[in-house]
Structures are given as structure tokens and as C-alpha cells.
Amino acid sequence: MLSIRNLVGVGIGPIDFKLAGGETAAITGPSGAGKSLFLRAISDLDPSDGEILLDGEDRSRIPAPSWRKQVAYVPAETGWWAERVGDHFNDTPAAIRLLEQIGLGESALDWSLPRLSTGEKQRFGLARALLEKPRILLLDEPTSALDAANKELVEKLLMQRVADGVSMIVVTHDGEQAKRLRAKTYRIEAGKLEATS
């Protein structure tokens, strides 16, 4: 259970929010409304005030690296630090299994970063986060650059994780995607969050 009370950060708040294990929330709203800022505040990447609890344990009592491993934020544009894709994965066999589920095979680990499309980077970034086995996934438009076939593969993988008890907050502009993910829907406008279903 992720429980948020009176969250206030740069451009957002105050926000109260709860997300149970194995539950998905879809966040919509206009550009600049605070959707990404909300995810970054939860993941402790931007300064914020308020109370954020994971299964009753306060974020302030958990070292930031440990928190971010359990509450994984995948931005719309993921960061990279090495030239070769495979150098970003510590567990190669597990990475291959994940990549094959989202339309990328073992050979993709030898690709160089400059040759990747935006959609390929999105899928690699998601796989990198999933390998850490987070309890909460914070996904910022995770399929915005994907074609229909690859979007379906990613959504299927995400639904498998939800079935295993992982919770997700997904920022999306695709109302149909929210339905496919069986998500409760919310809208952020001017930094304020409201449930819409």
C-alpha cells in the first residue's frame, strides 16, 4: 500500500492519494499540469513535504537508493551512462527474458545507444526498472513512442506485474490505455489531483 498525505512539491499539491497492492492508477491532464512532477515527488527526486508511506513505513526513514529501488520511476526519456545497451544490465539472463517479452531479443544487448529509437529506449528503460523488482512502478508515458504491436507487448508485461502484486501509477494521454490496464483514473490540473473514476 502506497499512502500519500498532504504532499506538496514544486508545482503540485497538496495531494492525498492511496494505491493498494496490485492496483493501477492512470493520471491524465494537460501538459505542464504537474503529472511528471507528481511522480518525481513520490520517487524523492524533487524536494517535497508531506507524508509518503509504503506499507506503513515512512519514506523519510528509508535511504533514498533503497526507496527508489522499491518505488521505481521510469521517465518519458530515460537516462543512460554507457555506450552499449548491455552495460546497463547486471543480470544478463534475466534481461534477455524481459527483452524478449517486449519485442527486443538478446542481440539488442550489443546495440549502441546512438542507434536506438525513442521507442526502443522506452522499452529498455522499462526493462531496466523491472529487473530491480520494484513494489511500485511510476511510469511517465511509457508507450508514447511505440507502435500498436509493441504497445500491446508492453501492456501485457505490465499487467503480468500487476497480477503479481506490483502497483503502478501511469501517466498517459490515452484513455483507452487506462481501460486496458484496468486503472482507476485521475486528473491533474494546476498541480491538484482529482479522481475521475
Side-chain angles (χ1 to χ4, degrees), residues 29-30 37 40 45 60 71 93 102 104 115 125-126 143 145 150 158 166 171 184:
L37 293 172
R40 289 181 59 85
L45 288 169
S60 63
V71 182
I102 52 176
L104 298 163
R115 72 144 280 181
L126 176 62
T143 61
N150 284 312
L158 294 177
V166 173
V171 168
K184 291 185 177 179

Side-chain angles (χ1 to χ4, degrees), residues 87-107:
D87 293 337
H88 298 87
F89 296 94
N90 293 324
D91 186 341
T92 300
I96 291 168
R97 287 192 295 274
L98 261 179
L99 294 175
E100 286 174 344
Q101 291 181 66
I102 52 176
L104 298 163
E106 181 175 354
S107 63

Side-chain angles (χ1 to χ4, degrees), residues 8-13 32-35 37 188 190-192:
V8 177
V10 177
I12 59 163
K35 301 181 297 296
L37 293 172
I188 287 185
K192 309 290 186 185

Side-chain angles (χ1 to χ4, degrees), residues 5 8 17-18 29 34 36 82 84 93 119 126 131 140 143 163 186 193:
R5 296 180 198 139
V8 177
F17 178 80
K18 286 189 177 179
S36 299
R84 180 179 166 272
L126 176 62
L131 284 174
D140 197 347
T143 61
Y186 298 81
L193 182 72

Side-chain angles (χ1 to χ4, degrees), residues 2 4 7-8 12 36-50 52 58-69 71-73 138:
L2 180 71
I4 297 172
L7 177 66
V8 177
I12 59 163
S36 299
L37 293 172
F38 178 50
L39 299 189
R40 289 181 59 85
I42 295 171
S43 61
D44 202 21
L45 288 169
D46 291 340
S48 63
D49 293 313
I52 300 181
D58 197 302
R59 180 183 70 180
S60 63
R61 297 182 180 178
I62 301 173
S66 177
W67 175 263
R68 292 181 193 132
K69 187 173 180 178
V71 182
Y73 171 59
L138 308 174

